[in-house]
Amino acid sequence: MSTLPGPLSLVAELTHRCPLHCVYCSNPLQMQSAKDELSTEDWARVFHQAAALGVLHLHLTGGEPLARSDIAKLVAAGREANLYVNMITSGLGLTADRMIELKDAGLEHIQLSLQDADEEKANEFAGARAHAHKLKLATLIRQQDIAFTVNVVVHRENLDRLEDILALAESLEPQRIEVAHVQYYGWALKNRDRLMPTPSQVERSVQLIQEAQSRLSGRIQLQAVFPDYYARYPKPCVGGWGRQMMLIDPAGLALPCHAAAIIPGMEFDSVRTHSLEWLWQQSPAFNRFRGQSWMKEPCADCDRREIDFGGCRCQAFQLTGDPANTDPACSLSDLHADLVAITQTPPPPPSQWVYRILANS
Ligand code: SF4
Ligand code: FES
């Protein structure tokens, strides 16, 4: 009998189809096409296996989960498996009738993304005219009495409007606002030159967030994710590799994090051929960076190795070429100075955005 604790959350990337083309999307550059997506029955089986493994939270995401015509059935399958069901959505494709259908199916939490307070800029970052529609949706969500989070991704080109963004998010009356600085994976890495905030923008954002947290206290919970390029120590990415979270991609591949496919030599097994229990406990992908035996110096002897687990494997690979290296976001990494230099570099002249495009959709 294995004593390995099970994951707490399952991220179900139901589809990579999406009406938006966000310039900071964390989806992989090589996405799965619609014809390869898991069926309703496959997902229902996965949700039951997840619950048996100890998963509590199910996050239905994508792409855009509403692009699945069976989304209500998938919500119901998650609830039947006794999971807390959250849907992460751009809101495109959500109507009053569909909202009622989702509520009746057992949807407990909805996370709606906003790109900016300025409509024109919001639509530019999303690569679609979506902003006005999103604002109307907040009313629909509140009418259904579903727990509601507004999520805003911030970066150099919208941080100077953070006060307006916070005011807009507050006006939508969610229970929770999440302000997340861009994390540089997937499409965001392609647009890093334009997205990377200046140090003074980051400083100012910390101050504004703290002020807003005091103002909103007891009414709206405000959480912030700051960019680790500016931090002293890295984030414990995904709570540590193979420790808390499993991600299933649209075609059924099980990944320890959303970016793991960028690491050369990684092979991912599928829920089509293996149980979730096997994937979690025995698959090579989940065991590759578990524990500490893979760590190099300085992580191998560091007091924080059970706190941040050496940071992010994918970022370590992207920035150093070796996923077993210390994440350069750590000030103890030999390569940290290079990362700091990136944040200090004056912004280049505006380049064209690289928009997220799904080939073969
Ligand atoms: Fe974390 Fe490694 Fe840095 Fe220590 S050396 S703080 S374990 S990333
Ligand atoms: Fe893969 Fe951080 S995104 S470990």
Side-chain angles (χ1 to χ4, degrees):
M1 270 279 278
S2 166
T3 54
L4 183 69
L8 294 175
S9 60
L10 184 79
V11 176
E13 276 185 356
L14 300 176
T15 177
H16 279 155
R17 288 173 285 146
C18 185
L20 303 194
H21 308 282
C22 297
V23 293
Y24 43 68
C25 180
S26 63
N27 280 162
L29 301 181
Q30 299 295 325
M31 289 182 272
Q32 303 284 8
S33 66
K35 69 177 174 30
D36 295 324
E37 289 174 9
L38 291 179
S39 67
T40 318
E41 295 70 31
D42 286 333
W43 279 117
R45 186 186 71 247
V46 167
F47 298 161
H48 281 275
Q49 290 180 358
L53 200 53
V55 168
L56 300 173
H57 291 103
L58 171 62
H59 302 283
L60 301 177
T61 182
E64 173 49 66
L66 292 165
R68 291 274 309 215
S69 57
D70 58 351
I71 183 66
K73 286 186 187 158
L74 294 170
V75 169
R79 284 300 302 134
E80 275 163 29
N82 221 11
L83 299 172
Y84 181 88
V85 184
N86 171 34
M87 184 174 74
I88 300 167
T89 179
S90 71
L92 263 74
L94 195 57
T95 59
D97 286 349
R98 228 167 165 204
M99 192 69 244
I100 292 168
E101 201 189 354
L102 290 169
K103 166 80 178 182
D104 290 348
L107 186 64
E108 284 157 303
H109 185 275
I110 195 161
Q111 180 176 316
L112 182 70
S113 61
L114 284 186
Q115 276 72 25
D116 205 315
D118 177 291
E119 178 168 5
E120 199 179 314
K121 296 308 279 181
N123 290 341
E124 177 188 326
F125 304 142
R129 300 183 65 77
H131 184 75
H133 177 69
K134 284 166 183 260
L135 299 188
K136 287 188 202 140
L137 287 177
T139 312
L140 287 185
I141 295 168
R142 285 197 313 271
Q143 280 168 352
Q144 292 308 317
D145 199 21
I146 288 177
F148 177 30
T149 293
V150 172
N151 168 276
V152 193
V153 176
V154 291
H155 46 84
R156 184 191 312 136
E157 298 217 6
N158 67 4
L159 265 172
D160 291 341
R161 288 184 292 282
L162 183 56
E163 278 176 292
D164 294 345
I165 290 171
L166 288 169
L168 175 63
E170 184 185 347
S171 74
L172 301 181
E173 299 177 32
Q175 279 88 31
R176 199 167 149 267
I177 299 172
E178 184 181 278
V179 175
H181 280 255
V182 168
Q183 305 284 312
Y184 298 100
Y185 309 104
W187 299 86
L189 189 63
K190 291 215 166 268
N191 289 299
R192 190 174 67 179
D193 283 356
R194 281 188 77 170
L195 294 170
M196 178 73 65
T198 63
S200 63
Q201 280 183 313
V202 174
E203 254 171 59
R204 175 95 180 111
S205 72
V206 172
Q207 188 192 338
L208 286 175
I209 295 280
Q210 284 170 350
E211 286 167 10
Q213 279 170 331
S214 309
R215 186 168 50 78
L216 299 174
S217 174
R219 207 157 45 90
I220 298 176
Q221 189 191 0
L222 172 58
Q223 289 191 329
V225 179
F226 293 105
D228 63 3
Y229 278 36
Y230 298 81
R232 188 163 169 213
Y233 297 119
K235 59 186 180 291
C237 194
V238 290
W241 186 278
R243 292 177 66 100
Q244 294 189 2
M245 190 275 267
M246 273 188 112
L247 181 149
I248 309 299
D249 90 346
L253 298 178
L255 285 81
C257 68
H258 52 272
I262 64 169
I263 299 178
M266 293 291 305
E267 285 189 16
F268 302 103
D269 293 291
S270 171
V271 298
R272 294 184 200 270
T273 50
H274 293 86
S275 70
L276 227 57
E277 184 181 19
W278 183 91
L279 292 161
W280 178 252
Q281 294 181 352
Q282 299 190 45
S283 69
F286 278 81
N287 282 302
R288 174 99 180 257
F289 297 110
R290 270 204 178 116
Q292 299 172 358
S293 57
W294 57 271
M295 287 183 178
K296 299 181 180 180
E297 295 295 339
C299 293
D301 286 317
C302 179
D303 290 347
R304 289 181 57 87
R305 66 186 185 279
E306 276 294 314
I307 297 172
D308 61 35
F309 314 105
C312 173
R313 295 309 88 223
C314 301
Q315 185 156 278
F317 168 70
Q318 282 182 158
L319 300 177
T320 76
D322 181 348
N325 277 340
T326 296
D327 183 341
C330 178
S331 53
L332 303 174
S333 159
D334 288 347
L335 299 166
H336 184 66
D338 297 350
L339 201 66
V340 173
I342 293 174
T343 66
Q344 307 290 337
T345 308
S351 50
Q352 292 292 314
W353 290 118
V354 180
Y355 283 105
R356 172 205 194 273
I357 301 286
L358 174 58
N360 310 319
S361 55

